[in-house]
Structures are given as C-alpha cells and as structure tokens.
Amino acid sequence: QVQLVESGGGSVQAGGSLRLSCAASVDTSSMYCMGWFRQVPGKEREGVAIIYPGTAYTTYGDSGKGRFTISLSNDKNTVSLQMNSLKPEDTAMYYCVADSNSCRSRPPRYWGQGTQVTVSS
C-alpha cells in the first residue's frame, strides 16, 4: 500500500504563492505517475498537474498552466507543486495522487488525505 502525505496548504492572498509537498512511502521512481488533483465541494475533481518519474515529463490542467510547476525532489520520496500567482478560484482541497499504470485515463489508485488551499481576494 502506498501512503501519500500532503503538507504546505494554507491561506494566502490573491497573487501570492504556496508550495505543496507530498511525502510518499515508496520511491517515487516505482510509480508510473504522480501528481495533484483538486476538488471544490459540489464540483468535479480536477487534475492539476502530473509528472511521470521515469521520464520527468509533466502535464498540466488548463487552470494551472503557466502558474504551477510540479517537480520531484532528489530524495526520491517527495513530489511538490509550486503555485504562483494564485487566484481565488484556486481555492480547493488539493490531493496528492500516484498510480503504477495511469493517472489520466481513470482516477489514480493512491490518494493522500488532502491539504486545503484558500486564496482570498
């Protein structure tokens, strides 16, 4: 069982930055993909960013392109999401995810507990 623990959420004013981190219980290279989803109550969850540890290829949802950056740490157990120029509409619960096969064609298998991000105007 893969465990994912997020940290770094909080409250920030519009235009500010936050860095989310996700500590994995396994070497990130053992996963096909890792990333971040977010969800607002009453709305569908949204893929924010995905990284493929084997190639370091990254892909972003439309909402985060140009503002968010996903990365893997050198310790091989952490995936981070740097969020800049935050907007009130970025307010959501952010979840770290991982899967051995796919993060996009179906919901990822492993999810963290989530960390809340709140952006005020």
Side-chain angles (χ1 to χ4, degrees), residues 24-113:
S25 61
V26 297
D27 189 322
T28 54
S29 64
S30 68
M31 292 289 106
Y32 173 71
C33 54
M34 298 190 70
W36 295 88
F37 277 59
R38 69 186 186 186
Q39 188 164 25
V40 176
K43 295 187 177 181
E44 290 189 5
R45 57 192 169 194
E46 173 189 5
V48 176
I50 300 294
I51 188 166
Y52 297 84
T55 62
Y57 177 78
T58 59
T59 182
Y60 296 89
D62 289 340
S63 60
K65 286 180 181 177
R67 300 187 298 127
F68 296 174
T69 303
I70 188 171
S71 61
L72 295 172
S73 65
N74 292 331
D75 66 8
K76 298 185 178 181
N77 289 104
T78 304
V79 58
S80 298
L81 183 69
Q82 178 67 41
M83 304 188 294
N84 298 327
S85 302
L86 283 162
K87 306 174 183 179
E89 50 264 44
D90 293 319
T91 295
M93 185 70 78
Y94 284 70
Y95 296 92
C96 180
V97 300
D99 201 297
S100 301
N101 294 293
S102 174
C103 287
R104 301 186 69 183
S105 60
R106 56 170 173 75
R109 179 176 180 182
Y110 303 109
W111 291 70
Q113 292 299 306

